[in-house]
């Protein structure tokens, strides 16, 4: 009879791997870079948008002073819970504290990047980041699903003209930032006039922090999945809010079936790592934003 193999405790996390672990997780948020965070209450918050519908009026001596009118409308920002979890061997529990810490550090760092991507994907496109399908929990609370956000049709080779048209579509509203797809950014880098690059900062994969002095962020989240957005621009500084309501950075689960696979953790010698976050956002003024997007989007 062949001798049974005895598994060494270091086989899953050998020292030469754990001590020099490289994370392949990538992610950042264009929304977070263009719009500062606002704390969001756990039960959500209601923000009122206030506008004066007319301009000031000149009044002649003894003249009548007609009402100018105001509009007050509520915008509800309700946090959504997002999570990420994974099973690993329970050998993790018996590794040294240094090895455990390295795994947990990489997990939380990777999770924070996934949350950053998730904020963009949800608020830009209204989909669940995991499966890319429209989320009823988000509904119209995204740039793609809110019909009040204007659209400009993308034309390859006319990227500068597309930007000008989009800015013109903002009307009286300010443009404080650009969220740009990698495809559109690369196209800007190739634009030339008389053989001279017009936007050299975007060439060769460049990701500048500003476009003509206005903050910008080039990110794969802008054209995520089947969505055809190339640029989202507008008043990110004043007409959009986002923030965290609660964060549970790490939970180590040793019992049960937390991911619903039908496999008990103890029976399979596994533990489950899970992180959760409650995050909310709201488009306060849809008319202050424009999408440059494909013809069918």
């Amino acid at each position: 009879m062949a001798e049974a193999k005895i598994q060494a405790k270091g086989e899953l996390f050998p020292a030469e791997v754990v001590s020099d672990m490289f994370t392949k997780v990538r992610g950042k948020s264009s929304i977070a870079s263009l719009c500062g965070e606002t704390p969001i209450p756990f039960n959500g918050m209601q923000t009122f948008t206030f506008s004066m519908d007319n301009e000031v009026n000149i009044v002649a001596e003894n003249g009548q002073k007609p009402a100018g009118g105001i509009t007050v409308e509520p915008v509800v920002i309700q946090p959504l819970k997002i999570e990420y979890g994974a099973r690993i061997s329970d050998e993790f529990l018996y590794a040294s504290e240094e090895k455990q810490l390295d795994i947990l550090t990489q997990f939380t760092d990777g999770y924070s990047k996934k949350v950053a991507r998730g904020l963009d994907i949800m608020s830009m496109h209204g989909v669940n980041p995991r499966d890319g399908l429209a989320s009823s929990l988000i509904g119209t609370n995204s740039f793609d699903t809110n019909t009040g956000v204007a659209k400009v049709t993308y034309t390859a080779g006319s990227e500068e003209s597309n930007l000008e048209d989009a800015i013109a579509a903002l009307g009286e509203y300010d443009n404080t930032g650009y969220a740009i797809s990698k495809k559109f950014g690369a196209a800007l880098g190739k634009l030339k006039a008389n053989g001279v690059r017009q936007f050299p900062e975007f060439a060769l994969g460049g990701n500048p922090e500003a476009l003509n002095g206005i903050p910008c962020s080039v990110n794969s989240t802008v054209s995520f999945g089947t969505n055809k957005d190339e640029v989202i621009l507008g008043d990110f500084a004043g007409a959009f809010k986002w923030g965290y309501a609660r964060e549970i950075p790490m939970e180590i689960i040793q019992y049960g079936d937390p991911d619903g696979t039908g496999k008990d953790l103890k029976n399979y010698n596994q533990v489950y790592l899970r992180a959760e976050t409650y995050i909310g956002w709201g488009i306060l003024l849809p008319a202050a934003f424009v999408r440059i997007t494909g013809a069918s989007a």
Side-chain angles (χ1 to χ4, degrees):
M1 179 181 295
E3 183 178 355
K5 181 181 183 297
I6 300 176
Q7 188 170 353
K9 74 179 183 69
E11 283 187 297
L12 182 61
F13 305 122
E16 65 271 22
V17 175
V18 175
S19 63
D20 190 25
M21 185 173 294
F22 174 75
T23 179
K24 295 190 291 184
V25 182
R26 293 290 178 268
K28 68 174 185 177
S29 171
S30 291
I31 293 294
S33 68
L34 299 174
C35 174
E37 178 189 350
T38 299
I40 304 296
F42 185 76
N43 290 329
M45 62 184 287
Q46 189 176 56
T47 297
F48 288 92
T49 61
F50 175 91
S51 64
M52 292 183 172
D53 305 319
N54 292 290
E55 301 298 337
V56 295
N57 183 51
I58 297 176
V59 181
E61 186 176 355
N62 299 319
Q64 183 182 9
K65 297 186 286 291
I70 60 173
T71 300
V72 180
E73 296 179 330
V75 176
V76 177
I77 300 177
Q78 186 65 47
L80 297 180
K81 180 167 72 172
I82 57 177
E83 63 84 28
Y84 195 98
R87 291 182 179 233
I88 63 173
S89 169
D90 64 2
E91 286 189 356
F92 164 80
L93 298 174
Y94 311 116
S96 68
E97 290 184 2
E98 289 81 3
K99 294 178 180 180
Q100 289 184 4
L101 180 60
D102 207 3
I103 292 294
L104 296 179
T105 299
Q106 295 295 340
F107 187 92
T108 54
D109 179 64
Y111 176 67
S112 66
K113 293 176 181 177
K114 288 298 185 182
V115 171
R117 277 182 57 83
L119 172 61
D120 277 14
I121 293 167
M122 293 184 295
S123 64
M124 290 178 180
H125 310 300
V127 303
N128 183 344
R130 179 71 57 85
D131 57 23
L133 300 178
S135 170
S136 60
L137 296 176
I138 297 174
T140 59
N141 189 28
S142 80
F143 292 109
D144 283 6
T145 57
N146 192 311
T147 56
V149 177
K151 295 190 296 183
V152 169
T153 301
Y154 171 60
T155 303
S158 300
E159 286 78 15
E160 187 172 11
S161 177
N162 291 163
L163 289 173
E164 294 286 2
D165 291 342
I167 293 170
L170 287 175
E172 63 181 345
Y173 299 111
D174 294 330
N175 176 31
T176 68
Y178 301 92
I180 300 174
S181 74
K182 290 197 170 187
K183 172 185 172 182
F184 196 93
L188 284 177
K190 294 177 181 179
L191 285 181
K192 293 183 179 180
N194 299 320
V196 178
R197 292 186 188 271
Q198 298 303 290
F199 303 95
E201 65 273 25
F202 288 92
L204 301 177
N207 190 350
E209 295 182 354
L211 172 59
N212 284 350
I214 296 175
C216 73
S217 175
V218 178
N219 202 336
S220 62
T221 57
V222 179
S223 56
F224 175 78
T226 60
N227 297 283
K228 301 180 183 298
D229 292 340
E230 299 298 342
V231 179
I232 300 173
L233 61 87
D235 188 6
F236 287 98
F240 188 92
K241 284 188 177 182
W242 75 276
Y244 297 110
R246 185 183 180 189
E247 294 183 80
I248 307 173
M250 174 61 66
E251 184 180 11
I252 302 174
I253 303 172
Q254 302 183 45
Y255 305 97
D257 179 22
D259 53 356
T261 62
K263 297 180 179 180
D264 181 77
L265 289 172
K266 279 294 184 183
N267 191 40
Y268 283 83
N269 301 308
Q270 297 171 340
V271 295
Y272 195 77
L273 305 182
R274 173 183 284 158
E276 297 180 349
T277 301
Y278 288 82
I279 190 169
W281 68 90
I283 304 172
L284 306 184
L285 193 60
F289 296 94
V290 178
R291 294 189 294 144
I292 299 176
T293 187
S296 61

